[in-house]
Amino acid sequence: MPYPEELKKLIKIVEGTRAERVARKKAGEEVPFLSLEQRKERLKHHPDFQEEGRRPLKVGASKGYAIAHEFADLLEARSRIDPNKVDLSRWDLETDVLVIGGGGAGSSAALLAQEHGAKVLLATKLRHGDANTMMAEGGIQAATKGDKDSPYYHYLDVMGGGHFTNVPELVERLVTDAPDVIRWLKALGCNFTQIEDGRLATLHGGGTSRKRMHYAADITGAEIMRTLRDEVRNRRADITVLEFSPAVELLLNEHGACAGAVLYNLETETYQLCKAKAVVMATGGSGRLHVRGFMTTNHYGATGDGVILGYRAGVPVSFLHTVQYHPTGVAFQEQAEGILITEKFRGAGANLVNVDGQQFVNEREPRDIEAASIILECTEKRKGVPTPSGKTGVWLDSPMIDMLEGEGTVKREFPGKHILFKRFEIDIAKEPMLIYPTLHYQNGGLEFKASGETKIPGFFVAGEVGGGIHGANRLMGNSLLDIVVFGRVAGASAGSFVKSKPRDGKLSLEHVSRYHAELEAAGVGMDRVAPMVLPDYTPADVKKKQWTAHYEGTLR
Amino acid sequence: MSQAPESLTAKLIPIYIMGKRYEVPETLTIMKAIEHAGYKFIRGCGCRGGICGACGTVYRRPGDYRIHVGLACQTVVEPEMVLTQIPFYPANRASYDYATMEAVGAAVGALYPELFRCVACNACTKVCPMDVEVMDYIAAVKRGDLAEAMRLSFDCIQCGLCASRCMGELPQYHIAQLVRRLYGGKLAPATDHVDAMVKKIADGYYQQKIDELKKMSVDELKKLYTAREQEPHQAPELWKAKSAEGL
Ligand SMILES: Cc1cc2nc3c(=O)[nH]c(=O)nc-3n(C[C@H](O)[C@H](O)[C@H](O)COP(=O)(O)OP(=O)(O)OC[C@H]3O[C@@H](n4cnc5c(N)ncnc54)[C@H](O)[C@@H]3O)c2cc1C
Ligand code: FES
């Protein structure tokens, strides 16, 4: 539905200040960026900094580390399988490299492992490409323009965005591999947006000092994902894809090396053992855990499974206490609630504006600062805009973009969102959008090295499931980059590892038994089951009537 | 959990999921309505954001002979609609060697001879939930205009509904994917600035600077970070930084 009358009135106020804000922008007079001191103050309004939302882990390699309850609940939970009842002397599938997760990181890893001579099996939860990668809109960072940018500035920006907590070796790899990733993707046939002379178009994003956000209209992630997926399909002689087959446990062998995984066929409800010489974990993020009850931008399968599996096998977690709230999720239209409005709108000049039509933060601050500022505006300062469903939000003033860059820019550069709102009879080239922060990205995850290795031989990590690259806060455009950089790295490392003829040995689920014993000793979690695999959206009244149904966690 | 509030307040309307009647809140998308009715998705649900193509849905309205389409995750329910999802439809995909394949229409035709079975009925375009001009991009491929086909097919999310309706039995979306890749990697202008930067990095041009940054204390880094020069928002493409530091 279009904006109701009350909101239309409030939009008039925004329109009243727009010309002046556009003039300021044109003159380069921006609302100043916060100093590092001011940032620290502002972040106190960020959900990450509210202690009541988290608790220390009672078991495992990172015991004592405090993370969100929703995540802790899953780490402190038993396996879906009883390790004593599994016959480990035979297996259903065998491969050199098992890649778990068919998003951007997993697909890149599969391609590189294959190029290193390995036979690859890629097991994924939903369809190949049903992944957060598919959903990324805004862009991918890389310092490709040597006349004004370099890995040096990219490095500084990444560190500043992550509040200088990032792991330097990972950041180095990220920024120095970045241009080659763009080259590789283009050579595989990705259509990045180009300007007249053939140079790739680049924009600013929050926290960038140079315009280095490459994009493919407003479906950058989809363009990357579908290109990688198509290439994986071309190599089906060496790469087998198994869909609707999430991994629910890792297999180790008697020498303590990773040796495959237990896969669960969601449709037939049967389990399969897959034996492998190396495993790449690339299961992505965890928005569907709805930390602190927030909405999420993430795909249906983003339930943090890889972190659970890796942690049980003994890999510590880091930076998992920080969660990224994307500052701009749809707050009105209720049926689109939580859906992401790309940061590119702000990169292109749209202000964030409160109920009085006033700008309250520079729109190019890092994401956590933007999110904290919006929450502050809507809570303590009481300058939020009330939505018809009783929530609050602030305006993202998209019509400014046409005034700055010329009529038709919004429609041309943001076709996806333009269509989405057009369905609600709202023209975002003429009317602003109402937004509020939404759960977006898992900043932390399994600990890993710049080679993709973890502390378990034969076990590699790539993508959103890993932690450390982005420190406590990721900048826009660095995740699409990270998944391809480290997907390629992990794939190549796994491929080489296989070639080095690792020691074969009896399969084992000892680590699961040990973990169960630890849970029992700590007196937690044996009544919960993880990984979650799919979120639970079945209404309680329906469940009550499913008299004979048995639920293992969220699955029937 | 996150979806409860709307269903408490909104008015209930009848919809028919595969012909069976359910009462659902009128504000829900088809996807949330199916969940509200008690289904748990395994197929037919992916991104929940209108881009993965998992949730293609066809429906009819009472007294209306036409087929309507929508993405379940994006389309709001209507009273009395009769719907089904088509989460999968078989379509042949030809494997090819991307590195050696020539970016010309004839090469595409050789992989997909069924291209020429298109009878221009336009059923594909009509059924596309993304308003892609499917028939037109197929026509462009037949003409050998790969640039136009890439442009016209760019918003395709590969839900497969086009292939399900095609009289000529074409796998339109696979053909479009092939063409977009041929265009992007082989026909689009070269990007010399990227290659130049890749070479500079491989030659170790920035290594010393990066090594210095890696060793710095947080305080030193903070100083550099705060002082770093910002490319202004409205700067032209060929903007030059005042300082050559780090470049
Ligand atoms: C709406 C949205 C917009 C974004 N925009 C940007 C942007 O503009 N720029 C940017 O840089 N980043 C962006 N991001 C972030 C970025 O897209 C993701 O962080 C990144 O794509 C993650 O890639 P991945 O391969 O690690 O995980 P994913 O792409 O999520 O892939 C993980 C895959 O693993 C599967 N899986 C999960 N559990 C299991 C299991 N147990 N067994 C087997 N398979 C499993 C999943 O189903 C999925 O297919 C955005 C994210 C979202 C959600
Ligand atoms: S679920 Fe992905 S398009 Fe609807």
Side-chain angles (χ1 to χ4, degrees):
Chain A
M1 62 171 172
Y3 284 120
E5 271 317 306
E6 315 86 76
L7 284 177
K8 285 217 158 121
K9 271 187 216 140
L10 295 174
I11 289 176
K12 288 267 177 282
I13 301 177
V14 179
E15 288 169 352
T17 60
R18 187 176 293 143
E20 189 199 327
R21 285 182 285 111
V22 168
R24 271 210 305 271
K25 187 118 208 162
K26 279 191 173 155
E29 292 163 18
E30 313 241 5
V31 166
F33 287 101
L34 299 185
S35 70
L36 293 177
E37 264 322 296
Q38 289 168 317
R39 277 190 185 177
K40 220 164 146 189
E41 255 327 284
R42 185 63 52 91
L43 282 177
K44 290 190 181 144
H45 299 276
H46 192 281
D48 277 354
F49 290 76
Q50 281 141 26
E51 284 302 327
E52 70 275 13
R54 49 172 114 148
R55 69 165 190 263
L57 290 171
K58 291 210 174 104
V59 292
S62 302
K63 198 160 138 180
Y65 176 48
I67 58 172
H69 295 296
E70 293 80 359
F71 229 122
D73 282 349
L74 292 179
L75 284 172
E76 296 171 353
R78 68 178 163 79
S79 174
R80 300 197 85 87
I81 54 177
D82 179 346
N84 302 316
K85 291 198 180 144
V86 182
D87 177 2
L88 292 166
S89 67
R90 58 188 84 224
W91 44 91
D92 311 275
L93 302 158
E94 190 165 359
T95 183
D96 290 338
V97 175
L98 169 65
V99 176
I100 304 177
S107 303
S108 304
L111 291 175
L112 264 287
Q114 186 265 353
E115 286 171 22
H116 279 70
K119 291 275 181 208
V120 179
L121 193 144
L122 186 154
T124 194
K125 183 186 296 185
L126 301 165
R127 300 175 315 163
H128 185 191
D130 290 349
N132 282 353
T133 304
M134 193 62 106
M135 308 184 75
E137 308 181 345
I140 173 165
Q141 286 201 42
T144 60
K145 296 180 173 171
D147 42 7
K148 61 177 171 187
D149 196 8
S150 74
Y152 171 88
Y153 286 102
H154 196 174
Y155 187 101
L156 279 179
D157 289 347
V158 174
M159 292 300 281
H163 307 300
F164 306 97
T165 54
N166 322 44
V167 178
E169 283 68 32
L170 297 179
V171 180
E172 173 186 24
R173 189 84 207 218
L174 182 79
V175 300
T176 54
D177 270 12
D180 195 48
V181 155
I182 301 292
R183 183 202 58 73
W184 185 66
L185 289 172
K186 171 129 192 345
L188 281 174
C190 255
N191 288 281
F192 291 114
T193 301
Q194 293 184 282
I195 47 183
E196 292 85 59
D197 63 354
R199 263 163 85 104
L200 297 175
T202 52
L203 287 173
H204 264 311
T208 56
S209 60
R210 305 290 146 100
K211 294 181 190 168
R212 73 168 78 86
M213 189 76 58
H214 303 69
Y215 57 96
D218 67 347
I219 55 169
T220 313
E223 176 64 358
I224 292 174
M225 186 68 240
R226 65 196 184 185
T227 302
L228 294 173
R229 177 174 64 192
D230 193 63
E231 187 52 25
V232 167
R233 287 176 176 167
N234 274 348
R235 303 187 193 177
R236 64 176 177 199
D238 298 322
I239 307 178
T240 306
V241 177
L242 267 190
E243 298 183 323
F244 299 97
S245 299
V248 295
E249 210 62 78
L250 286 174
L251 292 168
L252 301 187
N253 69 18
E254 57 188 319
H255 315 298
C258 192
V262 181
L263 308 179
Y264 178 58
N265 182 329
L266 284 172
E267 295 178 313
T268 61
E269 297 168 27
T270 52
Y271 289 85
Q272 285 186 306
L273 299 192
C274 175
K275 184 170 189 253
K277 299 184 180 119
V279 173
V280 177
M281 186 58 86
T283 51
S286 54
R288 293 279 155 195
L289 303 188
H290 293 290
V291 167
R292 312 208 73 188
F294 269 79
M295 298 278 156
T296 184
T297 59
N298 285 193
H299 83 288
Y300 185 46
T303 52
D305 302 355
V307 173
I308 312 298
L309 269 50
Y311 191 72
R312 261 184 208 150
V315 182
V317 290
S318 61
F319 295 100
L320 211 52
H321 62 287
T322 71
V323 180
Q324 184 163 81
Y325 297 81
H326 194 290
T328 55
V330 173
F332 176 78
Q333 299 293 337
E334 210 158 333
Q335 55 274 16
E337 219 169 38
I339 287 183
L340 173 109
I341 302 297
T342 167
E343 189 166 313
K344 237 177 82 190
F345 276 95
R346 284 175 288 131
N351 286 161
L352 286 170
V353 180
N354 66 18
V355 70
D356 300 332
Q358 298 303 322
Q359 202 186 353
F360 54 89
V361 62
N362 186 303
E363 58 277 350
R364 282 192 9 249
E365 295 278 9
R367 286 192 170 158
D368 50 356
I369 304 290
E370 298 282 355
S373 303
I374 295 166
I375 292 171
L376 173 66
E377 206 66 16
C378 291
T379 52
E380 253 171 57
K381 294 205 172 163
R382 299 179 173 279
K383 295 280 185 200
V385 181
T387 76
S389 60
K391 300 180 181 168
T392 49
V394 299
W395 299 111
L396 177 61
D397 200 13
S398 45
M400 285 179 72
I401 297 172
D402 273 13
M403 291 168 76
L404 286 163
E405 308 284 341
E407 192 123 343
T409 310
V410 169
K411 196 169 170 207
R412 188 182 64 244
E413 295 288 325
F414 304 98
K417 283 297 156 312
H418 193 260
I419 294 175
L420 176 71
F421 278 88
K422 207 176 82 186
R423 293 200 189 109
F424 306 134
E425 296 167 58
I426 292 173
D427 179 358
I428 57 170
K430 304 217 161 60
E431 289 179 308
M433 289 171 271
L434 201 49
I435 60 90
Y436 196 75
T438 169
L439 204 57
H440 188 53
Y441 183 77
Q442 174 188 304
N443 287 316
L446 297 172
E447 269 180 24
F448 71 107
K449 299 189 202 133
S451 57
E453 291 166 292
T454 62
K455 57 181 279 201
I456 301 177
F459 184 55
F460 302 83
V461 160
E464 195 170 336
V465 69
I469 305 170
H470 309 288
N473 176 52
R474 171 185 69 97
L475 297 183
M476 173 201 177
N478 278 337
S479 176
L480 279 181
L481 174 61
D482 132 27
I483 64 172
V484 186
V485 167
F486 290 97
R488 293 202 309 166
V489 165
S493 293
S496 310
F497 180 83
V498 166
K499 264 194 218 150
S500 75
K501 301 228 174 342
R503 268 170 87 196
D504 199 5
K506 273 198 225 133
L507 294 181
S508 160
L509 282 168
E510 241 336 277
H511 60 290
V512 179
S513 308
R514 268 201 310 274
Y515 199 83
H516 284 175
E518 229 191 303
L519 286 172
E520 262 165 23
V524 289
M526 285 305 280
D527 54 341
R528 283 189 295 263
V529 65
M532 181 186 278
V533 185
L534 291 174
D536 190 5
Y537 295 142
T538 309
D541 57 330
V542 170
K543 276 193 175 171
K544 248 194 244 157
K545 293 183 194 147
Q546 292 172 329
W547 291 350
T548 54
H550 167 73
Y551 278 86
E552 261 304 84
T554 59
L555 299 184
R556 212 151 57 202
Chain B
M1 155 190 72
S2 61
Q3 315 203 324
E6 337 173 20
S7 33
L8 291 180
T9 50
K11 193 177 121 204
L12 297 179
I13 56 167
I15 64 166
Y16 294 82
I17 301 172
M18 292 180 278
K20 191 166 190 315
R21 188 175 194 273
Y22 290 93
E23 302 244 322
V24 300
E26 62 174 354
T27 55
L28 297 185
T29 56
I30 293 172
M31 179 165 286
K32 289 187 181 179
I34 293 175
E35 286 174 333
H36 182 89
Y39 285 82
K40 182 167 187 103
F41 283 108
I42 291 175
R43 290 196 182 252
C45 173
C47 65
R48 302 178 80 102
I51 186 69
C52 78
C55 69
T57 301
V58 294
Y59 61 96
R60 281 195 155 100
R61 297 175 173 140
D64 178 358
Y65 65 87
R66 272 173 298 230
I67 290 179
H68 298 274
V69 285
L71 297 173
C73 68
Q74 301 288 299
T75 311
V76 177
V77 289
E78 294 174 24
E80 308 285 340
M81 74 196 305
V82 182
L83 65 90
T84 190
Q85 287 195 298
I86 306 199
F88 179 83
Y89 199 88
N92 282 335
R93 177 186 175 282
S95 278
Y96 55 99
D97 180 8
Y98 181 75
T100 55
M101 183 162 173
E102 232 189 312
V104 293
V108 180
L111 273 179
Y112 289 104
E114 60 269 44
L115 252 179
F116 301 96
R117 289 170 45 90
C118 169
V119 295
C121 71
N122 210 29
C124 49
T125 302
K126 276 197 202 151
V127 82
C128 178
M130 295 301 283
D131 300 332
V132 170
E133 299 289 342
V134 184
M135 189 184 79
D136 292 357
Y137 79 61
I138 290 295
V141 179
K142 287 202 288 192
R143 286 199 307 275
D145 188 349
L146 302 190
E148 180 69 356
M150 116 79 188
R151 199 183 61 75
L152 287 174
S153 73
F154 197 71
D155 291 338
C156 170
I157 58 174
Q158 312 192 3
C159 67
L161 286 181
C162 48
S164 80
R165 296 282 294 158
C166 182
M167 281 214 269
E169 292 154 308
L170 275 67
Q172 292 91 334
Y173 63 100
H174 287 318
I175 298 173
Q177 177 61 66
L178 164 65
V179 167
R180 282 193 304 274
R181 285 189 64 194
L182 291 177
Y183 183 83
K186 295 174 190 256
L187 298 175
T191 48
D192 302 336
H193 62 101
V194 181
D195 300 341
M197 182 55 103
V198 170
K199 182 164 185 315
K200 251 169 131 176
I201 293 173
D203 291 346
Y205 181 86
Y206 302 102
Q207 197 53 52
Q208 194 192 335
K209 278 274 162 208
I210 299 276
D211 286 340
E212 281 167 27
L213 289 178
K214 273 168 66 191
K215 282 196 213 98
M216 263 178 213
S217 70
V218 169
D219 283 337
E220 287 173 299
L221 271 178
K222 278 187 179 167
K223 256 191 225 136
L224 282 182
Y225 178 75
T226 310
R228 80 205 195 288
E229 193 180 345
Q230 300 264 349
E231 179 176 358
H233 175 79
Q234 293 280 39
E237 174 64 22
L238 296 179
W239 173 80
K240 284 268 175 290
K242 288 193 199 90
S243 153
E245 175 70 15
L247 286 182

